[in-house]
Amino acid sequence: MTSKLVPSNPSAVMVIRDITPNITTLSVPFARFGLIRVGGRGTIVRLTSGALSVFSPTALTPEVRAKLQEKGDNLKYIIAPDIEHHIFVSEWARAYPSAQVIGVEGLAEKRAAAAKDPKSPSHGAQVPFATVFTEKLKGQVRISEEFDRDFEYEYVPEHMNKELVFCYKPDRTLIVADYLFNLPATEQYSRTGEAADKGIMTRLFGALTGTQGRALGQKRFL
């Protein structure tokens, strides 16, 4: 199923963009259920300490590796900000074994089960989680002193995907996963030669979760 969700040629279609000197986005095509074009986006953030963090990691292509090296290659935090944004966590954890993997409750168990499934893309990939956010300890879980200096974050277990929401204070930037949609996924599909809003399911989902007007769909989804 993963082959229907993510591109088989990520280097050819990924858009790497420096939003600020400290923030870089990695935008790729991504279709929910293989049908709804919501796009995918990883975010690399350089902390004031010089350490790097990645949120919702995408494929670790040679171009992404080059960007990490350009930023110092000191990746210390790999963050899966909800129970769905974890497909490439293993790939990054193998490349940066000293990095802390951070996620939400239920994700470690989900990935452990997938690691035992020969049909899963995560087969054999056991990833230890250094920090897990839980509803029971909501508001009490911290990541590290250097990370906490730069970020404010909130765990939203009420969301169906158990969302982590981050604010990078130095650049006043909000980083989310499925907490908010910004459709159509124009940048994510800009190198594919295909329309970002292709398909009736994509257009319907976009209409329901759009940010224009009163954004009632977004509000009700939250």
Side-chain angles (χ1 to χ4, degrees):
M1 182 63 179
T2 303
S3 62
K4 297 180 181 180
L5 301 177
V6 299
S8 58
N9 57 340
S11 286
V13 295
M14 183 183 293
V15 176
I16 300 176
R17 182 158 63 102
D18 290 328
I19 305 299
T20 75
N22 297 314
I23 300 175
T24 300
T25 55
L26 316 170
S27 299
V28 292
F30 180 88
R32 179 73 72 184
F33 311 120
L35 296 171
I36 304 172
R37 297 188 171 197
V38 294
R41 176 171 287 145
T43 305
I44 298 169
V45 178
R46 180 167 52 200
L47 280 63
T48 52
S49 67
L52 300 178
S53 56
V54 62
F55 300 79
S56 301
T58 59
L60 188 55
T61 65
E63 295 81 8
V64 174
R65 290 299 299 262
K67 176 58 69 172
L68 290 166
Q69 290 167 6
E70 176 187 315
K71 290 180 171 292
D73 211 27
N74 182 24
L75 186 77
K76 294 183 66 173
Y77 305 97
I78 301 170
I79 300 156
D82 69 14
I83 205 161
E84 298 292 342
H85 286 228
H86 65 93
I87 293 175
F88 293 100
V89 164
S90 296
E91 184 177 358
W92 285 68
R94 284 194 298 269
Y96 295 92
S98 63
Q100 297 182 40
V101 180
I102 298 158
V104 299
E105 57 190 324
L107 182 54
E109 293 79 3
K110 180 179 181 179
R111 291 188 58 82
K116 299 176 183 177
D117 181 1
K119 297 181 180 179
S120 169
S122 299
H123 179 237
Q126 294 281 3
V127 176
F129 281 77
T131 304
V132 176
F133 286 79
T134 67
E135 185 172 8
K136 183 177 181 180
L137 296 177
K138 181 176 168 64
Q140 301 178 46
V141 178
R142 311 312 298 170
I143 294 176
S144 75
E145 183 178 347
E146 68 171 350
F147 190 94
D148 293 354
R149 277 198 303 267
D150 287 358
F151 286 95
E152 290 184 3
Y153 41 90
E154 182 73 20
Y155 177 46
V156 188
E158 297 82 4
H159 191 282
M160 62 184 297
N161 288 344
K162 301 183 182 296
E163 297 289 312
L164 280 170
V165 178
F166 294 84
C167 177
Y168 178 59
K169 293 183 288 186
D171 288 347
R172 297 191 295 179
T173 300
L174 185 69
I175 302 173
V176 301
D178 292 329
Y179 193 74
L180 186 70
F181 290 95
N182 183 20
L183 299 174
T186 303
E187 183 173 65
Q188 291 93 327
Y189 280 86
S190 63
R191 297 185 65 191
T192 66
E194 299 180 1
D197 61 352
K198 181 180 179 180
I200 184 64
M201 295 298 292
T202 298
R203 291 193 290 273
L204 177 60
F205 186 78
L208 291 173
T209 60
T211 56
Q212 297 180 348
R214 297 174 63 190
L216 290 177
Q218 293 273 22
K219 294 175 183 177
R220 289 169 180 167
F221 185 72
L222 296 176

